[in-house]
Amino acid sequence: MQDGLHSSRIQELLAASDGSLWVATAGGVSRWRDHRLELLVDPAVGSVRCQALAEDAQGRIWFGTDNGVAIFDGGKFQLKHPGGTTGPPVYDIQADREGVLVAAVNGLWRFSGSEKPQRLPLPPGIAPDNLRALAVTAEGLWLGTFSNGVWLRNDSGWMAAPGLSPAARSIYPVSYTHLRAHETVL
């Protein structure tokens, strides 16, 4: 099959800067372009659960899969395994001005340039397999966890998010919308 989805369970969508739409599913990745939904069969993303998508400043597409990080660049996929030679399952990916952040079962990683990924420190008492969601705002890096609420990392280090933790325990998607000064949220 050349067209369609690997699975009807859609994990995430990404509207890329080139006008294509990437679809991450529980069974692989598809791409909408030229008025057609294309089923991608590359081993990096073709039959593996993909839970996260991001586009970096160079226009590369990053995929968080159950077999690590896949990067689509120049029409080719490259598979990366932060902290090992296989996996780890990746829950979220977030591009920022310093590179790409990855929340995986084995910790929090930063990919920057062509260097090896760097393991970042976690909040106190948070196990690496507890990470689930990432967001970057002017306040810093936000981290949603499976059982320990939301955390914020800024120049002062990690702290439980004011007003959210510990009441908010299981955080999966984190979304950030920039509002202009005259807008309000009801």
Side-chain angles (χ1 to χ4, degrees):
M1 180 196 291
Q2 293 179 345
D3 297 332
L5 296 173
H6 291 271
S7 166
S8 62
R9 187 169 181 187
I10 296 173
Q11 304 290 107
E12 190 164 4
L13 300 172
L14 174 71
S17 61
D18 68 0
S20 62
L21 177 71
W22 294 86
V23 183
T25 76
V29 175
S30 295
R31 176 176 52 178
W32 176 264
R33 70 177 180 165
D34 300 327
H35 307 289
R36 187 173 144 250
L37 188 60
E38 172 187 13
L39 191 70
L40 301 177
V41 294
D42 188 280
V45 297
S47 60
V48 63
R49 180 173 63 163
C50 180
Q51 297 190 82
L53 298 166
E55 183 175 13
D56 67 15
Q58 289 78 38
R60 296 177 296 188
I61 307 298
W62 293 68
F63 306 83
T65 77
D66 278 358
N67 192 26
V69 175
I71 305 164
F72 184 75
D73 184 20
K76 296 179 184 172
F77 286 94
Q78 180 182 16
L79 197 54
K80 302 274 187 174
H81 305 286
T85 56
T86 62
V90 173
Y91 289 108
D92 204 3
I93 293 181
Q94 176 72 50
D96 69 4
R97 66 177 167 245
E98 296 176 41
V100 175
L101 295 162
V102 173
V105 167
N106 67 345
L108 182 60
W109 299 88
R110 174 172 296 287
F111 286 80
S112 187
S114 60
E115 303 169 18
K116 285 178 57 176
Q118 175 189 7
R119 185 186 301 264
L120 299 178
L122 297 177
I126 303 298
D129 64 353
N130 204 347
L131 313 181
R132 291 299 185 271
L134 300 168
V136 177
T137 68
E139 288 83 14
L141 170 63
W142 296 83
L143 173 66
T145 68
F146 173 71
S147 61
N148 295 97
V150 180
W151 292 79
L152 173 62
R153 180 179 179 202
N154 56 26
D155 293 338
S156 300
W158 286 107
M159 67 179 123
L164 295 177
S165 294
R169 290 263 181 220
S170 293
I171 310 298
Y172 286 88
V174 175
S175 180
Y176 169 71
T177 301
H178 178 74
L179 299 176
R180 291 186 282 279
H182 67 280
E183 294 178 312
T184 59
V185 176
L186 300 176

